[in-house]
Amino acid sequence: MISINDVKNNLEVQALVKAAQNQLDAIGYTEHSERHITIVSNRCGEILEKLGYDERIVELGKIAGYLHDIGNAINRIDHAHSGAILANQILKEMGMLAEDRMEILTAIGNHDEDTGTAVSDISAALILADKSDVHRSRVRNQNMSTFDIHDRVNYAVTHAELKVHEEERKIIVNLTIDTNICPVLDYFQIFMDRTMMSKYAAKFLKVWFELIINDTKLL
């Protein structure tokens, strides 16, 4: 079976990850490079593992998380769809079985809130892993005076964690937002769709979803 380490060491994957971030830098987007995809990969695997999925599904989830944003190398628009096609071709060339590739491309193709939704266990875990990565370290713009609302909200988040409580069948996203930088309401202004997508993804996995901001349970 193709492993997450095999994927990380693939030269084409490495080139796509670099090209994707270069393009996002050019258009002023937040970080989607090695830091983000590694966090998403690890969280996706953790969610599946703690909810009792077998080793194969956990590994496929990690791979989906690592590859989910490579479509940004082509264009930010429809990056989930182009990323799924790219991932399928790369993994096919690496010798991955078609059945396993379908799990990954389905998850990647459905991770964006504009066009996707949870349609499989791996896709649901990927959505939760991806949408929970909000943090100031993702802001590439160093000039606070030119921050847009996405920069401001991400920069205001000083702590973000996702916890899986397997016995309670609960997933909790816990954020700390510096309200001197932006009010909590700004978070919901840009992340409401992602929050609702995460809630539905948790429901697909038959677990409860909670969002806690500044020690207050909001969902």
Side-chain angles (χ1 to χ4, degrees):
M1 179 176 172
I2 305 299
S3 71
I4 180 61
N5 288 330
D6 294 329
V7 172
K8 288 181 178 181
N9 292 327
N10 182 281
L11 295 179
E12 190 167 357
V13 170
Q14 293 174 7
L16 283 167
V17 170
K18 183 178 180 179
Q21 187 57 56
N22 286 342
Q23 181 163 190
L24 294 179
D25 283 342
I27 61 176
Y29 266 69
T30 50
E31 179 267 337
H32 287 70
S33 63
E34 188 70 29
R35 175 209 159 277
H36 172 64
I37 61 177
T38 298
I39 287 174
V40 174
S41 175
N42 291 340
R43 285 183 181 176
C44 191
E46 178 187 5
I47 290 167
L48 293 166
E49 183 176 12
K50 288 192 173 181
L51 293 181
Y53 291 87
D54 63 33
E55 184 177 345
R56 167 181 165 269
I57 293 297
V58 171
E59 196 71 7
L60 293 178
K62 290 178 181 178
I63 294 171
Y66 196 81
L67 296 178
H68 79 284
D69 271 338
I70 58 174
N72 286 305
I74 296 175
N75 198 295
R76 177 63 186 174
I77 297 173
D78 286 335
H79 75 283
H81 306 150
S82 55
I85 295 169
L86 286 169
N88 183 54
Q89 186 61 37
I90 292 169
L91 296 171
K92 184 177 182 180
E93 292 175 357
M94 292 178 69
M96 181 178 282
L97 295 173
E99 181 182 2
D100 291 345
R101 296 200 314 273
M102 296 310 107
E103 291 276 8
I104 290 171
L105 71 88
T106 297
I108 294 174
N110 280 282
H111 84 271
D112 187 70
E113 63 273 12
D114 290 333
T115 57
T117 189
V119 294
S120 67
D121 295 338
I122 293 176
S123 70
L126 175 57
I127 288 166
L128 287 159
D130 182 37
K131 306 315 172 191
S132 63
D133 185 27
V134 186
H135 195 266
R136 64 171 42 184
S137 57
R138 298 194 66 185
V139 179
R140 308 280 282 194
N141 180 8
Q142 298 301 304
N143 185 354
M144 290 185 67
S145 66
T146 63
F147 276 4
D148 63 13
I149 189 170
H150 291 84
D151 289 336
R152 192 166 64 252
V153 170
N154 274 279
Y155 194 78
V157 178
T158 59
H159 176 77
E161 64 178 347
L162 180 147
K163 289 187 176 181
V164 182
H165 296 268
E166 51 267 49
E167 292 183 2
E168 300 175 47
R169 301 290 293 181
K170 182 187 297 184
I171 291 177
I172 300 174
V173 174
N174 194 342
L175 306 177
T176 301
I177 295 179
D178 185 344
T179 55
N180 291 315
I181 297 174
C182 82
V184 172
L185 185 61
D186 282 4
Y187 173 88
F188 285 103
Q189 182 178 341
I190 65 170
F191 287 132
M192 180 57 76
D193 288 345
R194 301 179 196 184
T195 301
M196 292 300 100
M197 190 184 198
S198 297
K199 184 177 180 180
Y200 179 78
K203 183 179 179 181
F204 192 96
L205 292 171
K206 297 181 175 60
V207 298
W208 189 255
F209 177 76
E210 288 185 5
L211 174 65
I212 298 173
I213 299 180
N214 294 351
D215 297 323
T216 300
K217 179 181 173 183
L218 298 174
L219 193 67

